[in-house]
Amino acid sequence: MGWLRRWRFFIEGVSLLATSVLGSLFAQSILNTRPVVAWAAPSFPVALFYAFLSIAVVSSLLNSRARRLEQIQQVEMTGELHEMVRTQPPTLFLQSMGSAWRKSFGAYLIGVDLEGGDSEEDVDLSVRVVLESLCGLADDYNSEQQGSYTASVLMFVDSGACQRSTRDILEAQMRFAGLDWAFESLSGCLWLNEAWTVGPKDDGSVVGEAIVPQNTTVHPLALPIPKTASKRLRDGSMEWYVLPGGPRCFVEGGALAVPDTLNVAAWMKLHMSSTQQLRDEVDDYMRQRAEGGRFRAFLSLPLRDPESERMLGVINLESTSPGFFSARSLGAEEDGMGAKRVEEFSNLALPFVSLVGALVRHLDVEAYVHHDNDERGGYLSRGGR
């Protein structure tokens, strides 16, 4: 539409020029003529003067509006450019991403080869290789912050489809479900599989070439997934019944960042239907891990079956430093868990998350629950990570 803009300015310029010329030549006649009867006046130059004057005024108004719109667009474009620059990945991120992808895809090929005798162990190692690659990418992407990263996979267990013995184990490992609850009343839970966790990289491990150790600082953990996740209140706000982080990421199907775990309880008080006892339990849990240097912020990524898009669980990336991906403080407002950089990193991490989904989609999660429980000598008391 550039030609239309130029044409409007041309008309305005010609009209102003003609008005000036006619005003100079017929000034006395114009002064002696009332504008109301100008069109009925026999003087053609006077009528022509008012015609050009009207065109000039209308054109000036239209052009002024166009200028304001252009200024608004320029401000918006400047804001978008600033946001693009602010969220741009570091210079070497894409290069490290390519290297991480080659290692992860190589591990994936090993993990999906089920002809070997130790196929489950191969899958476990392959998952940890991909998780460690994600930790490295998070560190590269968020290079302005100091800290170390850990990662874990939490798989969904359907309360209506699992065995009674599995329910007994998961009930013993359940955290943050409140006082009066039963496993059957939940949609299910997210279960942390210790075999699919990675901690800070050991000095001797090389991803893809040597054993990637699992994170031995974690313990089995089950997080409740209620059948009703949220309710819209009369004022239009949302009241949540599901915990922030992994559980809410699972029910919404989108990435979710918790930039400061010490603000989770405050967010729950504002936006979640929860008791003071539950908030205290969550706050104690978060503060213990923050003081122990375990984690201070985390990002939950939805884990899907790459073929069916069925939700399998979530992947948690944890940082020992607050301010994960420069997201705003959780608890300040409802959308405090969102940030542009979180969305961008989640999109960049999607191929790696898909590899994990492809590796674990056919595995029997209940078998892992029982195997882990047997190795620990029976049902765990309520507790966990």
Side-chain angles (χ1 to χ4, degrees), residues 322-344:
F324 201 88
F325 296 117
S326 302
R328 289 166 292 182
S329 176
L330 176 63
E333 51 185 318
E334 165 57 28
D335 64 349
M337 288 181 286
K340 183 70 174 178
R341 298 189 71 202
V342 170
E343 179 183 357
E344 183 172 281

Side-chain angles (χ1 to χ4, degrees), residues 6-33:
R6 290 192 294 270
W7 183 246
R8 285 201 307 264
F9 281 109
F10 174 75
I11 293 175
E12 181 184 359
V14 170
S15 301
L16 288 173
L17 179 61
T19 302
S20 300
V21 172
L22 290 170
S24 299
L25 295 176
F26 305 98
Q28 193 60 44
S29 300
I30 294 171
L31 290 174
N32 294 334
T33 305

Side-chain angles (χ1 to χ4, degrees), residues 88-100 136-137 140-141 143:
Q88 186 72 16
T91 305
L92 298 179
F93 174 78
L94 294 179
Q95 181 178 346
S96 62
M97 182 177 178
S99 175
L137 290 175
D140 291 337
Y141 190 87
S143 57

Side-chain angles (χ1 to χ4, degrees), residues 5 18 48 95 102 111 122 131 136 142-143 151 161 187 206 222 231 286 327 357 371 382:
R5 175 175 173 270
L48 195 60
Q95 181 178 346
R102 288 190 294 272
D122 289 340
L131 292 180
N142 209 32
S143 57
S187 174
V206 180
K231 178 179 70 175
M286 296 300 181
H371 175 73
R382 293 188 186 275

Side-chain angles (χ1 to χ4, degrees), residues 265 268 275-286:
M268 292 172 61
T275 63
Q276 183 63 48
Q277 182 174 357
L278 176 59
R279 293 194 295 270
D280 289 343
E281 183 183 356
V282 171
D283 193 53
D284 290 343
Y285 176 86
M286 296 300 181

Side-chain angles (χ1 to χ4, degrees), residues 28-70:
Q28 193 60 44
S29 300
I30 294 171
L31 290 174
N32 294 334
T33 305
R34 290 179 297 172
V36 178
V37 296
W39 297 106
S43 175
F44 177 75
V46 174
L48 195 60
F49 168 82
Y50 281 111
F52 277 116
L53 180 61
S54 301
I55 294 174
V57 170
V58 173
S59 299
S60 178
L61 292 174
L62 291 175
N63 290 333
S64 296
R65 181 175 179 273
R67 290 190 191 96
R68 287 196 299 272
L69 291 176
E70 288 177 1

Side-chain angles (χ1 to χ4, degrees), residues 1 5 12 70 87 120 127 154 311 319 331 347 368 385:
M1 297 297 288
R5 175 175 173 270
E12 181 184 359
E70 288 177 1
T87 59
E120 285 190 2
V127 169
L154 292 89
M311 285 292 294
S319 171
N347 292 332
Y368 275 92
R385 274 179 107 190

